[in-house]
Amino acid sequence: MEENFKRNQDFITEMNTIKIERQLQMRKQFRDRIIALEIAKARELFFWYGSFYLISLAGALAGYYYYYRYRYKRKLITLAPLVPLSFIMAYQADLAYGNKIHRILVEAEHIMQFEQELLALPLGIPTAASIDLGRLQKDEQKKLHPLLPPV
């Protein structure tokens, strides 16, 4: 009787450990996907910022040149605010009506397949043992310093 109880208890403990490890692995995979999507979004936005920067730089240089060459003629400087606003509108239109989401998903899949080092956790995947160790350390800390707030 006692042997069956011990075997059942060991089985339940093993199943709980497996369950925790599966949950940790599942959370890591979800986190990897979210991080890959965020990196892909940042890369896509960088292309837009780069384009805006280059066009603004070219416009500034051209404006400097034309200002000194044709300063007595009518200036187009009043249209300058249209440049950043045009980029913002084009970015939002691409996001809403274009295939930007598809490009972001493709880039995220590329990151997950070929750039796994970007998704690595600082100390690796936590294990059931490391979680139990952290819990035991926290309990020990509570026993030693009961009045300190938990960290």
Side-chain angles (χ1 to χ4, degrees):
M1 184 78 161
E2 188 174 312
E3 186 179 312
N4 279 343
F5 179 72
K6 180 70 172 159
R7 235 182 314 148
N8 283 343
Q9 193 174 17
D10 289 343
F11 178 74
I12 290 172
T13 303
E14 184 179 339
M15 292 308 294
N16 284 336
T17 303
I18 291 170
K19 180 180 167 185
I20 288 171
E21 288 173 354
R22 288 185 71 194
Q23 286 178 351
L24 289 170
Q25 190 64 32
M26 181 182 67
R27 286 184 182 189
K28 183 204 177 297
Q29 289 181 9
F30 277 132
R31 180 198 163 276
D32 287 352
R33 284 173 171 80
I34 290 170
I35 296 295
L37 279 173
E38 291 299 320
I39 292 170
K41 283 182 193 176
R43 288 180 180 178
E44 182 69 24
L45 188 59
F46 175 75
F47 292 136
W48 284 87
Y49 282 151
S51 302
F52 171 71
Y53 176 75
L54 291 176
I55 290 175
S56 297
L57 180 65
L61 293 175
Y64 180 76
Y65 172 74
Y66 286 120
Y67 175 72
Y68 284 107
R69 186 156 179 198
Y70 300 116
R71 71 176 126 186
Y72 297 111
K73 294 191 176 194
R74 192 173 187 185
K75 296 180 181 85
L76 295 176
I77 196 70
T78 56
L79 299 178
L82 290 179
V83 173
L85 293 176
S86 299
F87 271 87
I88 292 171
M89 285 299 295
Y91 180 83
Q92 288 298 325
D94 188 27
L95 182 62
Y97 299 107
N99 59 356
K100 182 175 188 61
I101 298 296
H102 177 68
R103 289 193 312 266
I104 289 173
L105 290 175
V106 168
E107 182 67 24
E109 289 172 2
H110 180 299
I111 290 168
M112 291 185 71
Q113 288 178 357
F114 302 109
E115 299 179 43
Q116 277 289 324
E117 67 276 2
L118 296 176
L119 308 176
L121 290 170
L123 296 175
I125 301 172
T127 62
S130 68
I131 292 172
D132 287 340
L133 181 66
R135 185 179 53 80
L136 291 173
Q137 287 175 347
K138 188 175 178 182
D139 289 345
E140 186 67 28
Q141 185 71 18
K142 279 184 185 177
K143 288 178 185 174
L144 292 176
H145 306 286
L147 298 178
L148 289 178
V151 180

